[in-house]
mmCIF file of all heavy atoms in Angstrom:
data_model
loop_
_atom_site.group_PDB
_atom_site.id
_atom_site.type_symbol
_atom_site.label_atom_id
_atom_site.label_comp_id
_atom_site.label_asym_id
_atom_site.label_seq_id
_atom_site.Cartn_x
_atom_site.Cartn_y
_atom_site.Cartn_z
ATOM 1 N N PHE A 1 148.631 105.888 -176.727
ATOM 2 C CA PHE A 1 150.034 105.937 -176.318
ATOM 3 C C PHE A 1 150.825 106.972 -177.124
ATOM 4 O O PHE A 1 152.053 106.921 -177.155
ATOM 5 C CB PHE A 1 150.692 104.563 -176.486
ATOM 6 C CG PHE A 1 150.052 103.459 -175.705
ATOM 7 C CD1 PHE A 1 149.809 102.228 -176.291
ATOM 8 C CD2 PHE A 1 149.682 103.631 -174.386
ATOM 9 C CE1 PHE A 1 149.233 101.191 -175.576
ATOM 10 C CE2 PHE A 1 149.099 102.602 -173.657
ATOM 11 C CZ PHE A 1 148.878 101.376 -174.255
ATOM 12 N N ASP A 2 150.146 107.920 -177.762
ATOM 13 C CA ASP A 2 150.826 108.858 -178.654
ATOM 14 C C ASP A 2 151.942 109.634 -177.966
ATOM 15 O O ASP A 2 153.054 109.741 -178.498
ATOM 16 C CB ASP A 2 149.835 109.803 -179.328
ATOM 17 C CG ASP A 2 149.023 110.645 -178.348
ATOM 18 O OD1 ASP A 2 148.970 110.308 -177.142
ATOM 19 O OD2 ASP A 2 148.429 111.645 -178.796
ATOM 20 N N THR A 3 151.707 110.140 -176.765
ATOM 21 C CA THR A 3 152.729 110.905 -176.055
ATOM 22 C C THR A 3 153.899 110.014 -175.663
ATOM 23 O O THR A 3 155.065 110.364 -175.865
ATOM 24 C CB THR A 3 152.137 111.591 -174.807
ATOM 25 O OG1 THR A 3 151.062 112.444 -175.219
ATOM 26 C CG2 THR A 3 153.184 112.404 -174.074
ATOM 27 N N LEU A 4 153.593 108.838 -175.137
ATOM 28 C CA LEU A 4 154.636 107.878 -174.761
ATOM 29 C C LEU A 4 155.485 107.510 -175.983
ATOM 30 O O LEU A 4 156.716 107.510 -175.915
ATOM 31 C CB LEU A 4 154.011 106.621 -174.160
ATOM 32 C CG LEU A 4 154.931 105.425 -173.961
ATOM 33 C CD1 LEU A 4 155.955 105.718 -172.874
ATOM 34 C CD2 LEU A 4 154.135 104.187 -173.633
ATOM 35 N N LEU A 5 154.838 107.207 -177.086
ATOM 36 C CA LEU A 5 155.559 106.816 -178.295
ATOM 37 C C LEU A 5 156.442 107.951 -178.800
ATOM 38 O O LEU A 5 157.586 107.719 -179.210
ATOM 39 C CB LEU A 5 154.580 106.371 -179.381
ATOM 40 C CG LEU A 5 153.882 105.038 -179.103
ATOM 41 C CD1 LEU A 5 152.726 104.838 -180.061
ATOM 42 C CD2 LEU A 5 154.858 103.880 -179.191
ATOM 43 N N HIS A 6 155.936 109.164 -178.760
ATOM 44 C CA HIS A 6 156.745 110.296 -179.224
ATOM 45 C C HIS A 6 157.954 110.508 -178.316
ATOM 46 O O HIS A 6 159.073 110.754 -178.789
ATOM 47 C CB HIS A 6 155.910 111.568 -179.307
ATOM 48 C CG HIS A 6 156.617 112.674 -180.022
ATOM 49 N ND1 HIS A 6 157.394 113.592 -179.372
ATOM 50 C CD2 HIS A 6 156.679 112.968 -181.340
ATOM 51 C CE1 HIS A 6 157.907 114.426 -180.251
ATOM 52 N NE2 HIS A 6 157.494 114.078 -181.460
ATOM 53 N N GLU A 7 157.750 110.398 -177.015
ATOM 54 C CA GLU A 7 158.863 110.549 -176.068
ATOM 55 C C GLU A 7 159.896 109.448 -176.240
ATOM 56 O O GLU A 7 161.101 109.696 -176.201
ATOM 57 C CB GLU A 7 158.342 110.557 -174.627
ATOM 58 C CG GLU A 7 157.584 111.815 -174.262
ATOM 59 C CD GLU A 7 156.912 111.738 -172.904
ATOM 60 O OE1 GLU A 7 156.982 110.681 -172.236
ATOM 61 O OE2 GLU A 7 156.298 112.745 -172.520
ATOM 62 N N ARG A 8 159.434 108.215 -176.423
ATOM 63 C CA ARG A 8 160.355 107.077 -176.552
ATOM 64 C C ARG A 8 161.146 107.108 -177.844
ATOM 65 O O ARG A 8 162.265 106.618 -177.909
ATOM 66 C CB ARG A 8 159.585 105.749 -176.487
ATOM 67 C CG ARG A 8 158.970 105.370 -175.167
ATOM 68 C CD ARG A 8 159.980 104.969 -174.096
ATOM 69 N NE ARG A 8 161.091 104.160 -174.537
ATOM 70 C CZ ARG A 8 161.079 102.832 -174.713
ATOM 71 N NH1 ARG A 8 160.000 102.136 -174.450
ATOM 72 N NH2 ARG A 8 162.152 102.195 -175.126
ATOM 73 N N THR A 9 160.549 107.675 -178.910
ATOM 74 C CA THR A 9 161.194 107.626 -180.223
ATOM 75 C C THR A 9 161.830 108.941 -180.636
ATOM 76 O O THR A 9 162.532 108.984 -181.649
ATOM 77 C CB THR A 9 160.166 107.236 -181.301
ATOM 78 O OG1 THR A 9 159.164 108.265 -181.379
ATOM 79 C CG2 THR A 9 159.524 105.891 -180.998
ATOM 80 N N GLY A 10 161.590 109.987 -179.882
ATOM 81 C CA GLY A 10 162.104 111.300 -180.258
ATOM 82 C C GLY A 10 161.482 111.820 -181.539
ATOM 83 O O GLY A 10 162.010 112.736 -182.165
ATOM 84 N N GLY A 11 160.372 111.228 -181.948
ATOM 85 C CA GLY A 11 159.693 111.652 -183.167
ATOM 86 C C GLY A 11 160.243 111.038 -184.439
ATOM 87 O O GLY A 11 159.803 111.375 -185.530
ATOM 88 N N TYR A 12 161.205 110.127 -184.328
ATOM 89 C CA TYR A 12 161.803 109.486 -185.504
ATOM 90 C C TYR A 12 160.965 108.296 -185.959
ATOM 91 O O TYR A 12 160.667 107.392 -185.169
ATOM 92 C CB TYR A 12 163.229 109.026 -185.213
ATOM 93 C CG TYR A 12 164.199 110.166 -185.103
ATOM 94 C CD1 TYR A 12 164.553 110.683 -183.866
ATOM 95 C CD2 TYR A 12 164.750 110.732 -186.247
ATOM 96 C CE1 TYR A 12 165.443 111.741 -183.757
ATOM 97 C CE2 TYR A 12 165.638 111.791 -186.159
ATOM 98 C CZ TYR A 12 165.973 112.288 -184.913
ATOM 99 O OH TYR A 12 166.857 113.335 -184.815
ATOM 100 N N MET A 13 160.595 108.299 -187.246
ATOM 101 C CA MET A 13 159.749 107.242 -187.797
ATOM 102 C C MET A 13 160.427 105.877 -187.753
ATOM 103 O O MET A 13 159.778 104.876 -187.464
ATOM 104 C CB MET A 13 159.348 107.569 -189.239
ATOM 105 C CG MET A 13 158.389 108.733 -189.331
ATOM 106 S SD MET A 13 156.871 108.480 -188.374
ATOM 107 C CE MET A 13 156.252 107.015 -189.136
ATOM 108 N N ASP A 14 161.723 105.813 -188.055
ATOM 109 C CA ASP A 14 162.396 104.517 -188.055
ATOM 110 C C ASP A 14 162.422 103.925 -186.644
ATOM 111 O O ASP A 14 162.269 102.709 -186.469
ATOM 112 C CB ASP A 14 163.796 104.591 -188.648
ATOM 113 C CG ASP A 14 164.725 105.564 -187.924
ATOM 114 O OD1 ASP A 14 164.223 106.493 -187.261
ATOM 115 O OD2 ASP A 14 165.945 105.393 -188.035
ATOM 116 N N THR A 15 162.567 104.776 -185.636
ATOM 117 C CA THR A 15 162.565 104.294 -184.256
ATOM 118 C C THR A 15 161.160 103.874 -183.844
ATOM 119 O O THR A 15 160.988 102.875 -183.141
ATOM 120 C CB THR A 15 163.110 105.374 -183.305
ATOM 121 O OG1 THR A 15 164.378 105.827 -183.803
ATOM 122 C CG2 THR A 15 163.311 104.837 -181.902
ATOM 123 N N LEU A 16 160.145 104.607 -184.299
ATOM 124 C CA LEU A 16 158.750 104.230 -184.027
ATOM 125 C C LEU A 16 158.446 102.856 -184.617
ATOM 126 O O LEU A 16 157.872 101.995 -183.954
ATOM 127 C CB LEU A 16 157.794 105.272 -184.605
ATOM 128 C CG LEU A 16 156.302 104.955 -184.473
ATOM 129 C CD1 LEU A 16 155.874 104.943 -183.008
ATOM 130 C CD2 LEU A 16 155.476 105.957 -185.271
ATOM 131 N N ASP A 17 158.858 102.658 -185.865
ATOM 132 C CA ASP A 17 158.655 101.375 -186.523
ATOM 133 C C ASP A 17 159.339 100.250 -185.747
ATOM 134 O O ASP A 17 158.742 99.194 -185.507
ATOM 135 C CB ASP A 17 159.186 101.445 -187.958
ATOM 136 C CG ASP A 17 158.910 100.183 -188.729
ATOM 137 O OD1 ASP A 17 157.729 99.838 -188.881
ATOM 138 O OD2 ASP A 17 159.880 99.544 -189.180
ATOM 139 N N GLN A 18 160.568 100.492 -185.329
ATOM 140 C CA GLN A 18 161.314 99.493 -184.562
ATOM 141 C C GLN A 18 160.607 99.186 -183.242
ATOM 142 O O GLN A 18 160.449 98.018 -182.879
ATOM 143 C CB GLN A 18 162.723 100.016 -184.298
ATOM 144 C CG GLN A 18 163.582 99.075 -183.482
ATOM 145 C CD GLN A 18 164.935 99.696 -183.124
ATOM 146 O OE1 GLN A 18 165.146 100.902 -183.262
ATOM 147 N NE2 GLN A 18 165.839 98.866 -182.653
ATOM 148 N N LEU A 19 160.168 100.212 -182.533
ATOM 149 C CA LEU A 19 159.512 100.021 -181.249
ATOM 150 C C LEU A 19 158.212 99.236 -181.379
ATOM 151 O O LEU A 19 157.977 98.279 -180.629
ATOM 152 C CB LEU A 19 159.242 101.381 -180.589
ATOM 153 C CG LEU A 19 158.516 101.364 -179.237
ATOM 154 C CD1 LEU A 19 159.296 100.555 -178.207
ATOM 155 C CD2 LEU A 19 158.290 102.784 -178.752
ATOM 156 N N ILE A 20 157.394 99.589 -182.343
ATOM 157 C CA ILE A 20 156.120 98.889 -182.521
ATOM 158 C C ILE A 20 156.351 97.451 -182.962
ATOM 159 O O ILE A 20 155.726 96.524 -182.439
ATOM 160 C CB ILE A 20 155.215 99.647 -183.503
ATOM 161 C CG1 ILE A 20 154.761 100.970 -182.860
ATOM 162 C CG2 ILE A 20 153.994 98.801 -183.891
ATOM 163 C CD1 ILE A 20 153.997 101.886 -183.780
ATOM 164 N N CYS A 21 157.256 97.249 -183.902
ATOM 165 C CA CYS A 21 157.526 95.883 -184.389
ATOM 166 C C CYS A 21 158.106 94.987 -183.292
ATOM 167 O O CYS A 21 157.676 93.847 -183.131
ATOM 168 C CB CYS A 21 158.461 95.920 -185.595
ATOM 169 S SG CYS A 21 157.684 96.550 -187.083
ATOM 170 N N GLN A 22 159.061 95.506 -182.536
ATOM 171 C CA GLN A 22 159.657 94.700 -181.461
ATOM 172 C C GLN A 22 158.635 94.396 -180.369
ATOM 173 O O GLN A 22 158.597 93.281 -179.836
ATOM 174 C CB GLN A 22 160.858 95.417 -180.849
ATOM 175 C CG GLN A 22 162.071 95.410 -181.720
ATOM 176 C CD GLN A 22 163.244 96.138 -181.079
ATOM 177 O OE1 GLN A 22 163.109 96.874 -180.107
ATOM 178 N NE2 GLN A 22 164.421 95.941 -181.643
ATOM 179 N N THR A 23 157.795 95.373 -180.044
ATOM 180 C CA THR A 23 156.776 95.151 -179.019
ATOM 181 C C THR A 23 155.744 94.138 -179.503
ATOM 182 O O THR A 23 155.299 93.281 -178.733
ATOM 183 C CB THR A 23 156.106 96.478 -178.624
ATOM 184 O OG1 THR A 23 157.119 97.419 -178.239
ATOM 185 C CG2 THR A 23 155.150 96.289 -177.470
ATOM 186 N N ALA A 24 155.374 94.208 -180.768
ATOM 187 C CA ALA A 24 154.432 93.233 -181.331
ATOM 188 C C ALA A 24 155.033 91.827 -181.319
ATOM 189 O O ALA A 24 154.346 90.853 -180.974
ATOM 190 C CB ALA A 24 154.044 93.632 -182.749
ATOM 191 N N GLN A 25 156.303 91.703 -181.668
ATOM 192 C CA GLN A 25 156.956 90.392 -181.643
ATOM 193 C C GLN A 25 156.976 89.828 -180.222
ATOM 194 O O GLN A 25 156.711 88.640 -180.010
ATOM 195 C CB GLN A 25 158.378 90.491 -182.189
ATOM 196 C CG GLN A 25 158.422 90.705 -183.671
ATOM 197 C CD GLN A 25 159.822 90.988 -184.179
ATOM 198 O OE1 GLN A 25 160.739 91.329 -183.439
ATOM 199 N NE2 GLN A 25 159.991 90.861 -185.489
ATOM 200 N N GLN A 26 157.278 90.677 -179.257
ATOM 201 C CA GLN A 26 157.287 90.230 -177.860
ATOM 202 C C GLN A 26 155.887 89.827 -177.410
ATOM 203 O O GLN A 26 155.718 88.848 -176.679
ATOM 204 C CB GLN A 26 157.846 91.329 -176.941
ATOM 205 C CG GLN A 26 157.951 90.912 -175.489
ATOM 206 C CD GLN A 26 158.863 89.707 -175.283
ATOM 207 O OE1 GLN A 26 159.921 89.613 -175.888
ATOM 208 N NE2 GLN A 26 158.457 88.791 -174.436
ATOM 209 N N ALA A 27 154.880 90.563 -177.855
ATOM 210 C CA ALA A 27 153.494 90.244 -177.498
ATOM 211 C C ALA A 27 153.083 88.872 -178.041
ATOM 212 O O ALA A 27 152.332 88.141 -177.397
ATOM 213 C CB ALA A 27 152.549 91.325 -178.013
ATOM 214 N N ILE A 28 153.590 88.524 -179.205
ATOM 215 C CA ILE A 28 153.319 87.201 -179.771
ATOM 216 C C ILE A 28 154.030 86.133 -178.950
ATOM 217 O O ILE A 28 153.443 85.120 -178.582
ATOM 218 C CB ILE A 28 153.754 87.140 -181.251
ATOM 219 C CG1 ILE A 28 152.854 88.041 -182.090
ATOM 220 C CG2 ILE A 28 153.722 85.695 -181.765
ATOM 221 C CD1 ILE A 28 153.377 88.310 -183.492
ATOM 222 N N GLU A 29 155.293 86.386 -178.630
ATOM 223 C CA GLU A 29 156.078 85.405 -177.871
ATOM 224 C C GLU A 29 155.540 85.166 -176.467
ATOM 225 O O GLU A 29 155.538 84.036 -175.986
ATOM 226 C CB GLU A 29 157.541 85.845 -177.794
ATOM 227 C CG GLU A 29 158.248 85.764 -179.127
ATOM 228 C CD GLU A 29 159.655 86.330 -179.087
ATOM 229 O OE1 GLU A 29 160.191 86.570 -177.980
ATOM 230 O OE2 GLU A 29 160.227 86.538 -180.176
ATOM 231 N N ASP A 30 155.090 86.233 -175.804
ATOM 232 C CA ASP A 30 154.616 86.044 -174.421
ATOM 233 C C ASP A 30 153.126 85.728 -174.334
ATOM 234 O O ASP A 30 152.592 85.509 -173.247
ATOM 235 C CB ASP A 30 154.986 87.236 -173.524
ATOM 236 C CG ASP A 30 154.261 88.526 -173.862
ATOM 237 O OD1 ASP A 30 153.194 88.494 -174.498
ATOM 238 O OD2 ASP A 30 154.772 89.596 -173.463
ATOM 239 N N GLY A 31 152.443 85.714 -175.479
ATOM 240 C CA GLY A 31 151.045 85.301 -175.514
ATOM 241 C C GLY A 31 150.029 86.393 -175.221
ATOM 242 O O GLY A 31 148.831 86.135 -175.253
ATOM 243 N N THR A 32 150.473 87.628 -174.966
ATOM 244 C CA THR A 32 149.503 88.693 -174.714
ATOM 245 C C THR A 32 148.782 89.100 -175.984
ATOM 246 O O THR A 32 147.621 89.505 -175.935
ATOM 247 C CB THR A 32 150.154 89.947 -174.088
ATOM 248 O OG1 THR A 32 151.150 90.433 -174.978
ATOM 249 C CG2 THR A 32 150.740 89.663 -172.729
ATOM 250 N N GLU A 33 149.472 89.001 -177.114
ATOM 251 C CA GLU A 33 148.896 89.316 -178.422
ATOM 252 C C GLU A 33 148.270 90.710 -178.471
ATOM 253 O O GLU A 33 147.253 90.917 -179.136
ATOM 254 C CB GLU A 33 147.857 88.260 -178.819
ATOM 255 C CG GLU A 33 148.435 86.903 -179.125
ATOM 256 C CD GLU A 33 149.079 86.807 -180.497
ATOM 257 O OE1 GLU A 33 148.708 87.562 -181.410
ATOM 258 O OE2 GLU A 33 149.968 85.955 -180.647
ATOM 259 N N ALA A 34 148.867 91.664 -177.753
ATOM 260 C CA ALA A 34 148.407 93.052 -177.778
ATOM 261 C C ALA A 34 149.562 93.962 -177.383
ATOM 262 O O ALA A 34 150.433 93.559 -176.613
ATOM 263 C CB ALA A 34 147.232 93.252 -176.831
ATOM 264 N N ILE A 35 149.556 95.167 -177.908
ATOM 265 C CA ILE A 35 150.545 96.176 -177.520
ATOM 266 C C ILE A 35 150.062 96.815 -176.224
ATOM 267 O O ILE A 35 148.937 97.305 -176.153
ATOM 268 C CB ILE A 35 150.690 97.257 -178.604
ATOM 269 C CG1 ILE A 35 151.112 96.650 -179.933
ATOM 270 C CG2 ILE A 35 151.649 98.354 -178.135
ATOM 271 C CD1 ILE A 35 152.546 96.249 -180.052
ATOM 272 N N THR A 36 150.913 96.802 -175.214
ATOM 273 C CA THR A 36 150.562 97.398 -173.927
ATOM 274 C C THR A 36 151.594 98.466 -173.568
ATOM 275 O O THR A 36 152.700 98.484 -174.111
ATOM 276 C CB THR A 36 150.544 96.342 -172.805
ATOM 277 O OG1 THR A 36 151.872 95.816 -172.658
ATOM 278 C CG2 THR A 36 149.562 95.226 -173.100
ATOM 279 N N GLU A 37 151.225 99.320 -172.634
ATOM 280 C CA GLU A 37 152.167 100.349 -172.171
ATOM 281 C C GLU A 37 153.393 99.691 -171.552
ATOM 282 O O GLU A 37 154.523 100.106 -171.790
ATOM 283 C CB GLU A 37 151.491 101.270 -171.162
ATOM 284 C CG GLU A 37 152.361 102.419 -170.722
ATOM 285 C CD GLU A 37 151.639 103.437 -169.859
ATOM 286 O OE1 GLU A 37 150.433 103.284 -169.606
ATOM 287 O OE2 GLU A 37 152.312 104.396 -169.439
ATOM 288 N N GLU A 38 153.165 98.645 -170.773
ATOM 289 C CA GLU A 38 154.283 97.920 -170.160
ATOM 290 C C GLU A 38 155.202 97.338 -171.227
ATOM 291 O O GLU A 38 156.422 97.418 -171.124
ATOM 292 C CB GLU A 38 153.747 96.812 -169.257
ATOM 293 C CG GLU A 38 154.819 96.018 -168.576
ATOM 294 C CD GLU A 38 154.284 94.882 -167.714
ATOM 295 O OE1 GLU A 38 153.064 94.691 -167.634
ATOM 296 O OE2 GLU A 38 155.116 94.179 -167.133
ATOM 297 N N GLY A 39 154.603 96.747 -172.254
ATOM 298 C CA GLY A 39 155.395 96.180 -173.333
ATOM 299 C C GLY A 39 156.220 97.227 -174.055
ATOM 300 O O GLY A 39 157.392 96.999 -174.374
ATOM 301 N N LEU A 40 155.628 98.386 -174.310
ATOM 302 C CA LEU A 40 156.356 99.476 -174.961
ATOM 303 C C LEU A 40 157.507 99.959 -174.091
ATOM 304 O O LEU A 40 158.605 100.229 -174.585
ATOM 305 C CB LEU A 40 155.416 100.637 -175.270
ATOM 306 C CG LEU A 40 154.397 100.392 -176.381
ATOM 307 C CD1 LEU A 40 153.340 101.485 -176.374
ATOM 308 C CD2 LEU A 40 155.070 100.298 -177.736
ATOM 309 N N ASN A 41 157.264 100.071 -172.794
ATOM 310 C CA ASN A 41 158.301 100.561 -171.884
ATOM 311 C C ASN A 41 159.429 99.563 -171.692
ATOM 312 O O ASN A 41 160.553 99.950 -171.353
ATOM 313 C CB ASN A 41 157.702 100.929 -170.530
ATOM 314 C CG ASN A 41 156.951 102.246 -170.589
ATOM 315 O OD1 ASN A 41 157.340 103.156 -171.293
ATOM 316 N ND2 ASN A 41 155.869 102.336 -169.852
ATOM 317 N N ASP A 42 159.171 98.285 -171.907
ATOM 318 C CA ASP A 42 160.187 97.256 -171.731
ATOM 319 C C ASP A 42 161.168 97.168 -172.897
ATOM 320 O O ASP A 42 162.243 96.603 -172.762
ATOM 321 C CB ASP A 42 159.549 95.881 -171.521
ATOM 322 C CG ASP A 42 158.925 95.722 -170.154
ATOM 323 O OD1 ASP A 42 159.202 96.562 -169.268
ATOM 324 O OD2 ASP A 42 158.160 94.761 -169.964
ATOM 325 N N MET A 43 160.790 97.719 -174.051
ATOM 326 C CA MET A 43 161.643 97.641 -175.239
ATOM 327 C C MET A 43 162.742 98.679 -175.205
ATOM 328 O O MET A 43 162.534 99.815 -174.788
ATOM 329 C CB MET A 43 160.811 97.879 -176.504
ATOM 330 C CG MET A 43 159.919 96.743 -176.901
ATOM 331 S SD MET A 43 160.839 95.235 -177.229
ATOM 332 C CE MET A 43 159.984 94.137 -176.135
ATOM 333 N N VAL A 44 163.920 98.265 -175.652
ATOM 334 C CA VAL A 44 165.056 99.172 -175.788
ATOM 335 C C VAL A 44 165.170 99.522 -177.264
ATOM 336 O O VAL A 44 165.312 98.623 -178.109
ATOM 337 C CB VAL A 44 166.352 98.519 -175.280
ATOM 338 C CG1 VAL A 44 167.539 99.432 -175.531
ATOM 339 C CG2 VAL A 44 166.226 98.155 -173.824
#
């Protein structure tokens, strides 16, 4: 997901950290327990 992550974060590390952490938290809550493209795209 390197290209997607770079586009979503504009290359900013703090935004990358936020995106990955929020997506991981959502993955735990919804039971998928994995980072998916859909999960990444759903995060604001």
